[in-house]
Every structure is written in structure tokens, then in C-alpha cells.
Amino acid sequence: MKKSLCVAVGALLSAGMLLSGCSKKEATADKPLELIIAHNQTSLENPYSYAAAKFKEVAESVSGGKIHVTVHNGTLGENENELIEKLDMNALQLCVASPGFMTAIGVPEVDLFSLPYLFDSFDHWEKCLDGEFGKALKDVVLKKTSNKYRIVGYWSSSVRDYYGKKPIKSAKDLAGMTIRTQTSPVQVAFWKATGAIPTNVAWGELYQALQQGVVDSAENDYTNFMLKEHHKTPNGHYVCETHHDYTTRLFLMNGDFYDKLTDEQKGWVDQACVAATKEDRDVTYRMFDESKKKVIADGAEVTNVEDMDIASFKALATPIQDDFAKKNNLTSYIDMVRNAK
């Protein structure tokens, strides 16, 4: 009797354990894929913020809730290097970054994106990035980083211009001026060629540097420096449309993480990446005009590109492009861009 009772209890316990196991498996299967996307801009009016929100909207919608996305608009750090470190540690799954950081890890090809006057217009930029040139660079990055960084979209933060304590019209007008610029070697070489003194200042500290005269000038796009109110400082008052850099920003995902997704999950992520990339560009182009009007309304003095001696700047940029291409065996890539004009 006791033996039978023990057997019966054991059977019930085993059944309970099996049921418990099934429930746990079902709960795991029902748990959504958690994705964290981050960029370094704190303003919700920034194109990156709109694009990140679009990624979340589309990913969660097309997956029927099987993907959950957390968006960090500058809240994980305004320094892009911090975001890349977090991407490496899988503390986030997608981020936006300037290409320059890859030169330090053995991918000099990405400095192509930093070459001044490589692109002539947004149309030219899109044609190249969405075509043969962009695909070739995606493959290079994936291969040279051993699948660490997968480019899932080419974003832009508009076209960059000079702003400083005095107006300029030609390259020679920059002689002796300090200018906060990107740390890319080709960018530094370009500004040195004008006679300016390139200076490294963290983005979050630039307003104060312009306000206190630590730097004479800087360069960035209307939307980004407008949102940070750099044009309201004494050393950001004059905006001169050099249009020297139609910027490329990399929308990145860890390749190994992507490869571990199911085909269905990859499809959802791919759709969201396409939608986010389109949103970034649409907002970027719209905000160029809106931001310029705001900067002028705030009292900044603007010299339009038509009134600039752009030829003097391009004369300095072209040899830098050629030299970079020759040293890095990238002449064919430069040719792709030039032939697309």
C-alpha cells in the first residue's frame, strides 16, 4: 500500500515537473527579442532620434511584438567611442557612429567617407552609398573586422559647413585660425592645408569652447550646431557654407549577433533598418532648410555656398583624395564615386 502510494506520488511529481518544464519553454519562446539602439545625440529633434524611433516602430510592428526595442538618445553617452565599446560588449545591439574609429582598428578604407569634397550633392551621395560603392565598403568592413561590425544602413547628418568668429570666403581666409574638427587623418590634413590649426574638442564641450574662445571656429551641419546653439556664441556667429563634407554615418550591428538570429528575425530587423535609414535621410534633408532658417532668425550671419570660393577648397581636397587612394590601394573606389557624378 505504501509502495503504491509512493509510486503514485512520484508519478504526480514527475508530471508536475514535466508540465513546469513545458511552461518554462513556452515562456522562453514567447519572450520577445530585446534590442537596444543608441546614438550620441541628446535632442529628440535630431534626425538620429527620429530614425531610431522609426526602427523601434517598424521592428515591433512587423514582428507582431516578438521584438522589443529600447532607444537611447544620447543617454548611453555622447562620446561615440563609448557606444562602440558597448556594442562590442553586447550591452547594445545597434548604434550610429562616425566611420573614423575604424581606421584605428585596421580598416583605413572607411576614411574614404571622411575625404573632403568627395561628394557633390545629396543625390550624388545617395547614388554612391546605395550602389556599388556602398556595397563594396560594407563587404570590406565585415571582412576586415572579422564580422564584428555589420553596416545595416548608411545614415547622414547633412552637409558640414564652417562656423566661426569671422566670415571666410576662400581657403586662405582660414590661415592661423584654430578649428574644432573631426579627428580623421584626411580631415586634419585638409584643414592644415588651408592654414588652419585643427583642434580636438569633445562634442559635449564645444559650446563652452566657442563661448570662451578656446577655439576660433568649428565645422558641422546646420541641424547639429543649431540644436546645440553654437551659432549663438561669439566664435560661432559667422556661418559660411563650405559644404565640404556630405557626411556618412554608419548604422552598425554586431555581425555575430545578427548571424545568430533566425531567418524570420533577420527579415524583421532588415525591414526596420531600411525604414530607419529612409527616415534619417528624409528628416536630414527637411531639417537642413528648417535649421538654416532658425540659425538666421537667431541672428547668425550666413554666407551662402554660391558666394563662396569653393574651387579654392576643392583644389586642396583633390590631391588629398588622390594621395589617400594611392597609399591605400583604393583608386578604384575613388573612381566609382567620381564616375557617379
Side-chain angles (χ1 to χ4, degrees):
M1 184 79 176
K2 288 182 179 179
K3 185 176 180 181
S4 299
L5 181 61
C6 288
V7 170
V9 171
L12 287 171
L13 287 173
S14 296
M17 289 175 68
L18 285 171
L19 287 170
S20 175
C22 289
S23 299
K24 186 176 182 181
K25 185 175 181 181
E26 288 169 4
T28 301
D30 290 340
K31 186 177 181 182
L33 173 67
E34 296 286 343
L35 297 178
I36 298 174
I37 176 174
H39 59 84
N40 72 333
Q41 299 298 317
T42 55
S43 172
L44 296 180
E45 297 303 310
N46 188 279
Y48 297 169
S49 299
Y50 283 102
K54 177 62 70 173
F55 179 89
K56 174 180 172 67
E57 173 194 330
V58 172
E60 294 182 347
S61 175
V62 299
S63 69
K66 292 182 180 178
I67 291 181
H68 177 261
V69 181
T70 301
V71 177
H72 287 278
N73 300 303
T75 50
L76 287 184
E78 291 187 67
N79 186 327
E80 288 182 343
N81 288 337
E82 294 177 50
L83 300 184
I84 294 300
E85 288 175 5
K86 288 180 171 65
L87 184 67
D88 291 345
M89 296 185 295
N90 202 32
L92 55 87
Q93 285 69 52
L94 300 108
C95 73
V96 186
S98 306
F101 82 93
M102 287 192 184
T103 59
I105 60 171
V107 194
E109 290 87 349
V110 296
D111 235 9
L112 280 164
F113 295 125
S114 301
L115 288 170
Y117 294 102
L118 183 63
F119 305 107
D120 287 345
S121 65
F122 286 123
D123 285 343
H124 181 216
W125 177 84
E126 278 202 23
K127 186 176 181 181
C128 292
L129 272 295
D130 294 339
E132 181 185 10
F133 174 79
K135 183 181 184 305
L137 265 294
K138 283 183 180 180
D139 292 341
V140 166
V141 168
L142 203 60
K143 182 178 179 181
K144 284 209 165 185
T145 65
S146 299
N147 208 36
K148 194 174 183 179
Y149 301 115
R150 182 186 185 90
I151 300 174
V152 291
Y154 289 112
W155 291 14
S156 179
S157 57
S158 197
V159 59
R160 296 171 81 102
D161 296 309
Y162 160 96
Y163 54 101
K165 68 178 184 181
K166 73 171 188 177
I168 64 168
K169 283 198 174 183
S170 68
K172 62 179 174 36
D173 295 334
L174 280 156
M177 292 185 67
T178 53
I179 182 167
R180 186 270 183 186
T181 188
Q182 301 169 83
T183 57
S184 158
V186 293
Q187 285 279 339
V188 170
F190 170 71
W191 293 107
K192 282 185 176 180
T194 69
I197 305 166
T199 306
N200 184 19
V201 177
W203 176 245
E205 299 170 6
L206 184 51
Y207 177 91
Q208 187 175 10
L210 290 165
Q211 181 70 27
Q212 297 180 354
V214 175
V215 290
D216 298 325
S217 59
E219 51 83 39
N220 215 308
D221 66 275
Y222 275 114
T223 297
N224 274 307
F225 73 72
M226 179 274 293
L227 291 172
K228 287 293 189 179
E229 299 191 333
H230 292 172
H231 60 291
K232 294 183 178 181
T233 67
N235 285 11
H237 178 74
Y238 293 96
V239 182
C240 303
E241 293 182 344
T242 47
H243 279 15
H244 55 274
D245 183 4
Y246 287 86
T247 57
T248 303
R249 293 295 174 263
L250 306 181
F251 188 26
L252 296 170
M253 191 172 195
N254 184 286
D256 291 328
F257 180 89
Y258 180 86
D259 288 347
K260 290 175 183 176
L261 300 178
T262 66
D263 289 343
E264 187 176 41
Q265 289 171 333
K266 287 176 183 176
W268 296 331
V269 169
D270 291 346
Q271 287 184 64
C273 288
V274 170
T277 297
K278 183 179 185 301
E279 183 75 1
D280 168 78
R281 296 179 186 182
D282 289 347
V283 175
T284 291
Y285 303 156
R286 170 173 58 79
M287 290 190 72
F288 173 87
D289 292 326
E290 294 176 359
S291 300
K292 180 176 178 177
K293 288 176 182 177
K294 178 68 166 60
V295 164
I296 293 172
D298 286 340
E301 297 184 51
V302 173
T303 302
N304 294 320
V305 66
E306 296 84 4
D307 299 316
M308 297 287 295
D309 179 12
I310 296 299
S312 68
F313 292 96
K314 285 188 175 181
L316 300 175
T318 302
I320 292 173
Q321 294 175 10
D322 292 338
D323 183 60
F324 175 82
K326 184 178 180 180
K327 285 181 177 177
N328 293 283
N329 195 29
L330 294 171
T331 301
S332 61
Y333 290 81
I334 293 287
D335 289 342
M336 284 184 211
V337 175
R338 291 175 177 173
N339 291 334
K341 292 183 181 181

